Every structure is written in structure tokens, then in C-alpha cells.
Amino acid sequence: AQSVSQHNHHVILSEAASLELGCNYSYGGTVNLFWYVQYPGQHLQLLLKYFSGDPLVKGIKGFEAEFIKSKFSFNLRKPSVQWSDTAEYFCAVNALYSGAGSYQLTFGKGTKLSVIP
Amino acid sequence: EAGVTQFPSHSVIEKGQTVTLRCDPISGHDNLYWYRRVMGKEIKFLLHFVKESKQDESGMPNNRFLAERTGGTYSTLKVQPAELEDSGVYFCASSHGDNQPQHFGDGTRLSIL
């Protein structure tokens, strides 16, 4: 079974600092990759996704992520964070062509980001 | 468009009781998923419906959990009887196609006393 590792449980940054959240997955086949964000009191929202093509993916609110197949990684980045980015961030994977379970998402444990004004 | 709706937002019941959670997917979405997050752990897949059929129920923890999607619209997840370890947040998600991004509801926080 596939697994997803998010390296940081809680990250605290000052506004304008750069952000990089690590994500590694274990499945060796074809994958779709996602980052979801959950702002306080809100539902999970899709931040960005990678299905195929350019491995550098741009999402909403200035976020981007880079898929590095050789490293099984999909790290999330933002050059300058804002207080409003305070949220919990989840990396997720689905393992295509793995039978009936191809479309279930496997999530990492999440990273809480606190941005200090 | 209206998002995925889950009801109730919070349920507190005693061990041994029955609880039914409901999910209304985005209109027109054939694919509906249930996930659960137990405190301190990752969000875990429970099952996947395509219309009214169970496509994948590999994540259902045991036979105390029963999911239905009669008519291929809304879905219910019943826990009977509830145990302490069932506490957590239950998320529902839907997607138009099976290889499309999933849209999540707010979740139902289930507390078993």
C-alpha cells in the first residue's frame, strides 16, 4: 500500500518568509498528486494538483509545487507567506492503475503552518 | 455551485448507540468518497461510490460501518454500535469523474463518550 510522508508537523514563520513543505510518497507507478489546505473553520480546499506534463505546478494564492519523480517528492513552496496562509496543509496521492483503489486519496499527516504578523 | 454538504456538523453519542452521517455531493458528481480522520492521525480513505455502486470499500474498518447511496445522490454512513475508537472527523468528498479532483465537505465531528 502506498504511503505519504510530510516531514514537518508544525511550521512557524514570520510574514514575508519563504515556505517549503516537504512531501514524499511511496508508490512506484503512475500517480496524481495534490496539495489541499484547510483554513481554520473551513473545509479542505484544493490548492494545486499534478496529473501530468510540466512538473512545476502553479496553484492558487501564489503557491507552487514541483514533482520530482526520481525522488518521489512533491514539495510545496511559496516565496513570501502572509498571515492569511495560516492553515493546515495536506499532501495527497492517488495511485493510478492499481485496480479498484486507483482513485482513493492517500494523505500525509498534515503540516500546520502558523504565520506570525 | 453549492459545495459538498455534510450533516450533522457535530454529533455526540454514547458508546453502543447508533449514528447516521449524511453527505450531499455536488450536483452531477457521480463519484462520492468517505474519509475519516482520527485525532492525531492522517485522513484515511473509507470507501468510494460510483453512482449507487460501491467501487472500493477497502478502507471500511469493520462491519459496524454501513454506507449507502440509494439512487446515486446523497449518501449515508451508519455506525452501529458506536465504539470509542470511532471518534474522529468524517469527511465526504465528491468528483465529477473518477480521475478528477475531489471536493470536500466540512466534515462531521463524531464524539463517542
Side-chain angles (χ1 to χ4, degrees), chain A residues 43-109:
Chain A
H43 60 271
L44 280 160
Q45 300 172 37
L46 182 66
L47 202 53
L48 48 77
K49 64 185 186 293
Y50 172 81
F51 278 17
S52 63
D54 189 343
L56 184 61
V57 179
K58 296 199 182 294
I60 59 171
K61 304 186 181 185
F63 286 91
E64 65 178 31
E66 185 175 12
F67 170 48
I68 302 179
K69 189 173 181 179
S70 61
K71 294 185 178 180
F72 298 90
S73 70
F74 191 55
N75 292 353
L76 181 71
R77 299 194 293 250
K78 185 171 184 179
S80 176
V81 294
Q82 302 173 313
W83 176 78
S84 57
D85 293 325
T86 294
E88 190 162 17
Y89 293 79
F90 297 90
C91 182
V93 172
N94 62 18
L96 299 179
Y97 316 119
S98 59
S102 292
Y103 305 106
Q104 60 175 266
L105 289 174
T106 300
F107 283 86
K109 289 190 174 181

Side-chain angles (χ1 to χ4, degrees), chain A residues 32 34 36 38 42-44 46 49 51 88 90 96 100-101 103-105 107-109, chain B residues 33 35 37 40-43 45 48 55-56 58 91 98-102 104-106:
Chain A
N32 290 337
F34 306 85
Y36 281 86
Q38 188 172 28
Q42 297 187 26
H43 60 271
L44 280 160
L46 182 66
K49 64 185 186 293
F51 278 17
E88 190 162 17
F90 297 90
L96 299 179
Y103 305 106
Q104 60 175 266
L105 289 174
F107 283 86
K109 289 190 174 181
Chain B
Y33 307 80
Y35 294 85
R37 190 183 194 191
K41 303 280 189 180
E42 62 270 30
I43 300 169
F45 169 80
H48 170 202
Q55 173 80 6
D56 176 9
S58 62
F91 293 101
D98 50 21
N99 197 26
Q100 296 292 319
Q102 296 174 27
F104 282 78
D106 288 341

Side-chain angles (χ1 to χ4, degrees), chain B residues 12-19 62 64-65 78-87 90 110-113:
Chain B
V12 182
I13 62 170
E14 292 187 348
K15 176 183 169 182
Q17 291 186 320
T18 297
V19 62
N62 53 59
R64 295 186 293 103
F65 289 75
K78 182 161 74 173
V79 185
Q80 181 182 29
E83 298 290 343
L84 296 178
E85 64 265 24
D86 301 333
S87 295
Y90 289 76
L110 178 62
S111 300
I112 313 298
L113 305 179

